[in-house]
Amino acid sequence: MTEVECLVPDLAGVPRGKILPAHKFIAGLKDRGLRLPESLFIQTITGDYPEEDVMEDVDQDMYLRPDPSTVRVVPWYDEPTCQVINDCYYRDGSAVDIAPRHVLRRVLRLYEEKGWAPVIAPELEFYLVKVNTDPDYPLEPPIGRSGRAEIGRQAFGIDAVNEFDPLFEDVYDYAEAQGLDVDTLHHESGPAQMEINFEHGDPLDLADQVFLFKRTVHQTALRHNVYATFMAKPLEGQPGSAMHLHQSVVERDSRLSLFVDRDGKESDLFRWHIGGLQTYLPQAMLLLAPHVNSYRRLVKNFSAPINMHWGRDNRTVGLRVPNSEAGDTRIENRLSGADANPYLAIAASLLCGYLGMVERLEPSNPITGSGYTKAHDLPKHLPDAIEKFQKAQRLHEHLGDLFGAAFTAVKWAEWDAYQDVISSWEREFLLLNV
């Protein structure tokens, strides 16, 4: 290897870090290694910082500690290059609590203390779009091998996926080279909208895989002269992109499911897990829908939830229980958008379920009809979600008070930046009519 990319996922899930020659990386392992400023974790999606002082004024150094289990080749480079995900620590050896990987670890320790082990399987949706160099111009579906752009919806269409076969051959090759355990690929409802499923496994490992996979898809698309976007709602009038999280809990030692009893019937812990998701997820929506655009996805009749009802094999509700063998009983959290940071979305979903299990929260009865006939009781826009998260002391207790303050400050700063932008809709309908 000639170079090493030292990656740190920030609050938005953007890869930050440093690149250095391989021999210097190896030499650096003997001392404290690379440093970055702690303000990396209060940088907004626009590259700015909140006006309020969340961290100490000094903006001290963080020391990067590579996680050996995450070392992978970067397969799209000509020069031999590897990448490694790093954890962040202060000089005294204490963890940087607002780092997303540490936030997820805090939640996983709660399960570990109970002798439990959560299992996650993400499903990640995204769009391919034409190269767009003017942000005022709407996104469009790309041109496929046929020479035409997809206009209608081709859900599960095999030939529609094959329009971009060379691109996806590279995606699968690059994923295999990195040890990313991707499973099936299929066409979703929107034009050039795809979904990749991951095999179930350890939550931190799966969060790492989703983080790296999103980067892989972005880079592969650029090599094929198109964009890949994980925006929650990139095209108006089309379905949004989700990151559905299938989750279950097993006994740590025996690996037997805690969601069923010895007779194979759904257990109390299963019900309480649902009860916790119903009770706490509305307060945690900011972690699953973190951007202004996220809330455009959460509208009725577009395969996205609008409330916290649950049902069996029902895709119109927030919490779906798929049909399965007893030992595979799981809950599909359909709230999270593809734009969410995978570490934080998984941490939030697992924490809410955990609180239900320890607080013995009973869920509502499952519904059998459409969830869209019920009230829209999820946050409808970013400020609503920020305010709910700010008041969620039970969540902050486990995610960390400093993390809660930092994430809230970043999101208010992003909302303020968005408010400075005048949209084309306002110019179209208000310019000469009011």
Side-chain angles (χ1 to χ4, degrees):
M1 289 294 168
T2 59
E3 285 188 334
V4 178
E5 296 181 336
C6 294
L7 307 180
V8 176
D10 75 359
L11 290 187
V14 175
R16 308 285 180 185
K18 292 185 176 182
I19 305 171
L20 69 163
H23 70 276
K24 290 192 174 182
F25 171 78
I26 295 171
L29 295 177
K30 299 176 183 178
D31 55 28
R32 290 183 179 272
L34 298 177
R35 306 182 193 184
L36 288 171
E38 63 179 352
S39 57
L40 177 148
F41 290 117
I42 56 169
Q43 189 172 3
T44 69
I45 198 69
T46 65
D48 296 317
Y49 299 89
E51 290 185 5
E52 62 184 280
D53 180 29
V54 181
M55 318 291 286
E56 294 182 2
D57 290 332
V58 294
D59 190 14
Q60 60 185 309
D61 277 343
M62 307 181 300
Y63 295 83
L64 305 192
R65 188 179 298 173
D67 182 342
S69 70
T70 68
V71 175
R72 290 171 165 92
V73 67
V74 185
W76 53 84
Y77 291 152
D78 294 329
E79 287 292 323
T81 304
C82 75
Q83 59 191 337
V84 59
I85 301 174
N86 289 252
D87 290 311
C88 300
Y89 294 85
Y90 292 116
R91 185 175 179 82
D92 63 4
S94 61
V96 179
D97 281 346
I98 63 174
R101 284 187 109 226
H102 283 309
V103 173
L104 177 53
R105 280 199 181 98
R106 287 171 69 111
V107 174
L108 296 180
R109 280 197 294 269
L110 296 173
Y111 281 86
E112 186 177 348
E113 290 166 0
K114 293 285 187 181
W116 302 338
V119 179
I120 285 287
E123 298 175 346
L124 191 62
E125 298 171 345
F126 59 94
Y127 275 88
L128 300 177
V129 297
K130 283 184 182 178
V131 171
N132 179 287
T133 57
D134 183 351
D136 281 332
Y137 195 78
L139 298 176
E140 296 181 274
I143 302 297
R145 291 196 303 174
S146 67
R148 303 182 65 180
E150 184 181 326
I151 302 301
R153 297 181 184 173
Q154 299 292 331
F156 302 103
I158 297 297
D159 290 338
V161 175
N162 289 337
E163 283 284 287
F164 306 99
D165 193 49
L167 187 156
F168 288 115
E169 285 181 358
D170 282 349
V171 167
Y172 270 109
D173 287 345
Y174 293 161
E176 182 178 2
Q178 296 172 88
L180 306 182
D181 201 5
V182 297
D183 190 13
T184 57
L185 162 71
H186 69 260
H187 196 293
E188 266 294 337
S189 299
Q193 185 189 27
M194 310 295 172
E195 177 178 302
I196 286 276
N197 298 334
F198 291 79
E199 291 284 359
H200 65 275
D202 172 75
L204 181 59
D205 179 54
L206 265 300
D208 287 338
Q209 290 193 49
V210 172
F211 168 68
L212 294 174
F213 180 78
K214 290 172 79 169
R215 183 179 188 227
T216 299
V217 174
H218 281 304
Q219 293 297 324
T220 309
L222 290 175
R223 291 173 67 90
H224 289 266
N225 200 35
V226 297
Y227 286 170
T229 179
F230 294 88
M231 283 177 64
K233 187 82 164 184
L235 302 180
E236 62 181 65
Q238 299 294 339
S241 291
M243 179 171 60
H244 298 151
L245 300 173
H246 290 251
Q247 58 195 70
S248 58
V249 185
V250 299
E251 209 169 37
R252 188 178 60 195
D253 296 331
S254 70
R255 308 305 294 181
L256 294 176
S257 174
L258 294 174
F259 278 2
V260 293
D261 58 25
R262 293 179 180 177
D263 297 325
K265 296 180 180 179
E266 291 166 351
S267 66
D268 289 339
L269 289 175
F270 167 79
R271 293 199 322 276
W272 296 337
H273 197 94
I274 294 176
L277 293 172
Q278 287 186 314
T279 300
Y280 288 108
L281 273 179
Q283 302 171 37
M285 274 299 294
L286 189 62
L287 303 180
L288 284 77
H291 303 292
V292 172
N293 178 261
S294 305
Y295 297 86
R296 297 184 185 277
R297 168 183 160 260
L298 300 172
V299 294
K300 62 173 60 177
N301 301 322
F302 274 95
S303 299
I306 60 172
N307 50 48
M308 287 307 308
H309 288 286
W310 74 283
R312 304 183 192 281
D313 202 20
N314 186 336
R315 287 180 170 83
T316 68
V317 295
L319 303 172
R320 170 180 172 253
V321 177
N323 293 327
S324 65
E325 298 297 325
D328 297 326
T329 299
R330 62 193 185 276
I331 302 160
E332 180 189 16
N333 176 357
R334 297 177 61 82
L335 272 66
S336 182
D339 57 339
N341 179 321
Y343 301 96
L344 300 181
I346 292 171
S349 194
L350 291 179
L351 175 57
C352 293
Y354 167 86
L355 291 175
M357 294 167 78
V358 298
E359 295 174 9
R360 302 189 173 191
L361 299 178
E362 288 291 342
S364 63
N365 293 325
I367 67 170
T368 55
S370 172
Y372 299 135
T373 63
K374 310 296 182 182
H376 190 314
D377 56 14
L378 293 175
K380 291 186 176 182
H381 48 70
L382 187 63
D384 187 15
I386 298 174
E387 290 171 353
K388 280 183 168 58
F389 183 66
Q390 271 184 307
K391 299 172 183 176
Q393 289 304 314
R394 193 78 173 99
L395 300 183
H396 295 181
E397 177 184 336
H398 296 293
L399 298 175
D401 288 331
L402 181 57
F403 167 76
F407 198 71
T408 299
V410 166
K411 292 303 155 183
W412 277 129
E414 291 178 356
W415 173 250
D416 290 341
Y418 174 77
Q419 287 293 82
D420 284 340
V421 178
I422 308 303
S423 70
S424 59
W425 187 95
E426 291 164 277
R427 292 190 291 271
E428 175 74 16
F429 295 104
L430 302 181
L431 179 65
L432 300 178
N433 289 333
V434 296

